[in-house]
Amino acid sequence: MTSNDVLKNLTEYNVWANARVLKSMDRIEGDLPDYAQLMFSHVLNAQAIWIARITGTKSPVTVLQRHTLEELHRLHEQTSPKLVELYANADEAELNRTIDYTNTQGKAYSTKVQDILTHAINHATYHRGQVARELRLAGHEPINSDYVTYVRIQYGQDLEI
């Protein structure tokens, strides 16, 4: 990782962190803890919704739609790398472009693309913490998805766990 571009690093980190959470969920025998499954579904649903807003398309999911583990893998593959792509292909004008949208409560807002991307990653980090807590409460050891762990691995300072 050589770039000082924080948003680029964060979009790439988001792909890594979401993949790690999925890998940890894959290891769970039996049903996933209900709230952990719902919150991780919400993470990926929100990514899909924000992508749809940025691209002017219809979201394929709703905000609290619950997904199976298999569906979570597919939705991650469709959304997490797409956030990286949207940022990588954006010039200054695109990053500063304002998106007009209505939230899930019906309230209208306008937000810049760069702020939406930043929010999507911050939002995912927040809810990954909730997923980790729920996994721990259910007797499972949650995976470390901290940004600093990602950075250490990128620089070869830590082995991937």
Side-chain angles (χ1 to χ4, degrees), residues 5-31:
D5 190 329
V6 174
L7 194 49
K8 175 185 181 293
N9 293 346
L10 288 175
T11 59
E12 292 170 355
Y13 154 72
N14 187 63
V15 174
W16 173 87
N18 286 343
R20 283 177 66 88
V21 170
L22 282 168
K23 184 186 285 187
S24 74
M25 290 177 152
D26 287 339
R27 296 182 192 142
I28 295 173
E29 294 183 18
D31 292 337

Side-chain angles (χ1 to χ4, degrees), residues 67-78:
H67 303 285
T68 66
L69 187 55
E70 183 179 316
E71 291 167 339
L72 287 171
H73 276 279
R74 276 198 304 273
L75 193 54
H76 161 65
E77 290 165 9
Q78 294 165 1

Side-chain angles (χ1 to χ4, degrees), residues 56-156:
T57 58
K58 185 176 182 327
S59 174
V61 295
T62 59
V63 72
L64 288 175
Q65 185 175 336
R66 182 184 303 272
H67 303 285
T68 66
L69 187 55
E70 183 179 316
E71 291 167 339
L72 287 171
H73 276 279
R74 276 198 304 273
L75 193 54
H76 161 65
E77 290 165 9
Q78 294 165 1
T79 63
S80 299
K82 183 67 175 178
L83 292 174
V84 174
E85 178 188 320
L86 286 171
Y87 179 72
N89 293 333
D91 58 14
E92 198 66 29
E94 173 62 9
L95 290 174
N96 285 303
R97 180 171 64 100
T98 299
I99 305 293
D100 296 320
Y101 60 94
T102 303
N103 73 3
T104 56
Q105 289 81 39
K107 189 166 181 188
Y109 290 98
S110 297
T111 307
K112 289 181 182 181
V113 169
Q114 66 186 348
D115 293 326
I116 289 171
L117 292 172
T118 303
H119 167 73
I121 286 124
N122 192 50
H123 176 263
T125 300
Y126 172 79
H127 287 300
R128 281 191 299 267
Q130 290 181 313
V131 170
R133 180 181 182 274
E134 290 302 312
L135 293 177
R136 186 176 306 279
L137 288 173
H140 307 287
E141 186 60 32
I143 195 126
N144 180 329
S145 63
D146 288 346
Y147 178 75
V148 74
T149 302
Y150 167 75
V151 170
R152 289 174 185 153
I153 290 168
Q154 298 307 304
Y155 285 109

